Every structure is written in structure tokens, then in C-alpha cells.
Amino acid sequence: MSEMPPQWFDTKLQAATTTDAEGPSSVKPDEVRTMKTFLDNQTTAIKAAESLTKRTSTAANLSDVYESLSALWTFLTDLAIDMPSSQPKLIELLKAIQNLPDVELPGGEGADYISLEQGELWKELPQWGNIWADTFNSVEASFTKPVDSTTESVRNGQMWAAITAFSARLAAEDAAQLNGGGFLLSQGYRGIVRALEQEGVDLNSEIPAAAQWFIHSGPKLYNHGRTIRHDEPSGNGNGLWFKDGYGKPLSGLWKGEGGLNKGRWLFWKERFTWVRENMELGEEARRAAKDAVEAMTKVEKEG
């Protein structure tokens, strides 16, 4: 996964100083500087958390709380996608934010239509899950949509791999506010099945993304999969990508039953192995497949 150029923060800082960025829904210059300082290891996660949440914690009304929350979470999602190397630090930051003292929510504007409850700031990370899920779905939609521009196609692939990596990292966490209560893993099966079971897909762009689930959340994926029965209805989020509406296995390279069982896990591993050894595919796809195989082998040994 490629990184954004070092000018990324300069661009964000410039945008934050414009007149259009004066409202509560926009990230502020001091917040951009705080984030850069944190990622440069020049301040601690707790100090960065306190600084980045100050505007929300001291907001005069509920509408400003909501808008400033949206600005903060959007800032974090932009970073996770544009700078994948920042992802471990961003999870550290989210944990620090979650451990901040409770904040008493104000009333005023927004109280009659914004659903935030006392005690949710900060332990529940309100709105974070919704914003991340919306971003994930938007990036996936762009990735799977045919485009004429090679540059756009490459960028969509990079964004898809990056957002998948962060989702996989979040899914590996124990806190439900971070892992989505298992929802993130359920989302992951969609990309895994498309990359490893469907024919005619671009493996050079699909494999680097699908591999992230095994690299970053292999144990969770392995153990979670054992709870998915072959006869689960499509209405169940866990089984959605294994069965169609009539209870039949999805078409594709996998010819076994639905659900996730040892045979299907090993089939995925065989597919990654094939990609790893296929010299006609790009280096990034082969390297990602290699890492996925190693991660799966480790999970199998550790049980």
C-alpha cells in the first residue's frame, strides 16, 4: 500500500485555515498540528486525545458536539486511508479517546433531533462506527465500479487495500466500539469471497485487500468462522456472503457447502498460495498472498 506524500498535512492545514473551514464540521489548524505531532511521536496518545476532543467536550450545544465529532472521525478516516502506516497509532489514539472522562452533554440546538445520550462521550465513541462503515462502503463501491482511467483505478485499489487493512486491525480489537461487535468481520467476507472465489476479478487489486483480513485479524477470522453454519439464511449478516436467497451456495471457484469450515479455509489458503507463486501477477499481490499464507499457517498452529 502506497503512502501519501509528506505534503498531506500541509494540504490539510491549508484547508483548515480557509473561511469555509470556520464551522464546527471542519477540522481546525491546531487539530491538524496535534495529529502530526502525535504521529511523529512527539506527544503521547492521551495528550493528543485530550487536545483533539477539546472542541467537542466544550461545545456549547448538541449540534456543535455532533458536527465536531463528525469532523474528528472524518479526519481519522482520511488518515487511515491516505497514510496506512499511521493505522496502529490511530487505534492507539481511539483507545485513548475512549478512556477519557465522561463529558456532560449540553442541550440547546440539536437536542430535539440528535440522538446522543449522557455517558456516551467518550467511552462509546459515538458516531465513529457509523462514519467508518459509511466510508468503507463508499470506498468499496468506488473500487468495484468500472472506470476508464488507469490512474483512478490504481487509486481506488490503493484506497480499498488501505481501508480494508484498517477494518481488519479494528476487527482484531476486543472492544465492541472498535470491532463493531463482529460487524467488521462480517463485512470482510464480502471482499474475501470476491477475491478468492469469484472468477474474472483483477487479482492484482483484489488480493492485496483480501489478504489484510488474514494478516491483521487472522485469529478472530478463524474462530469467528467456526460459528457460521452452512445453512445460515442470507438475512443473517454472518452468512450473507455464503448463501443466496434460496439457501444455495454462491457460484464460483468454491464448490463446497456454505458457511465457513476447515475445507473452505484451506481452499482460501490454496488460492493465496497459487497467487504467491504466479509470476504473471504483480509483486504487491504476490507479497500480500505470501503474508496471508504465513498468517494462516500461524493461526492453524496456535489454534
Side-chain angles (χ1 to χ4, degrees), residues 14-80:
Q14 183 178 11
T17 58
T18 65
T19 303
D20 292 340
E22 291 179 355
S25 61
S26 302
V27 67
K28 304 307 176 190
D30 61 320
E31 295 165 352
V32 176
R33 296 187 189 98
T34 294
M35 184 67 79
K36 187 176 188 306
T37 300
F38 170 62
L39 294 181
D40 288 341
N41 296 311
Q42 295 177 2
T43 191
T44 63
I46 187 62
K47 288 183 178 180
E50 290 170 346
S51 177
L52 289 166
T53 60
K54 182 178 180 180
R55 185 157 57 100
T56 302
S57 297
T58 60
N61 57 66
L62 202 57
S63 178
D64 284 356
V65 168
Y66 185 88
E67 294 293 337
S68 58
L69 269 177
S70 297
L72 175 60
W73 299 148
T74 300
F75 186 31
L76 264 66
T77 61
D78 288 347
L79 261 173

Side-chain angles (χ1 to χ4, degrees), residues 117-139:
E117 301 295 334
Q118 296 292 349
E120 288 188 348
L121 281 182
W122 286 95
K123 63 182 178 181
E124 296 299 328
L125 299 177
Q127 304 304 321
W128 162 252
N130 292 337
I131 287 178
W132 181 252
D134 288 346
T135 305
F136 185 95
N137 291 333
S138 176
V139 171

Side-chain angles (χ1 to χ4, degrees), residues 9 13 29 62 76 81 120 126 130 133 139 142 153 157 165 174 188 286:
F9 274 102
L13 187 58
L62 202 57
L76 264 66
I81 295 170
E120 288 188 348
N130 292 337
V139 171
S142 295
S153 177
D174 291 329
R286 288 186 284 112

Side-chain angles (χ1 to χ4, degrees), residues 199-217:
E199 299 180 88
V201 299
D202 180 5
L203 294 176
N204 281 321
S205 59
E206 291 279 6
I207 291 297
Q212 303 306 315
W213 292 103
F214 301 88
I215 295 168
H216 297 299
S217 55

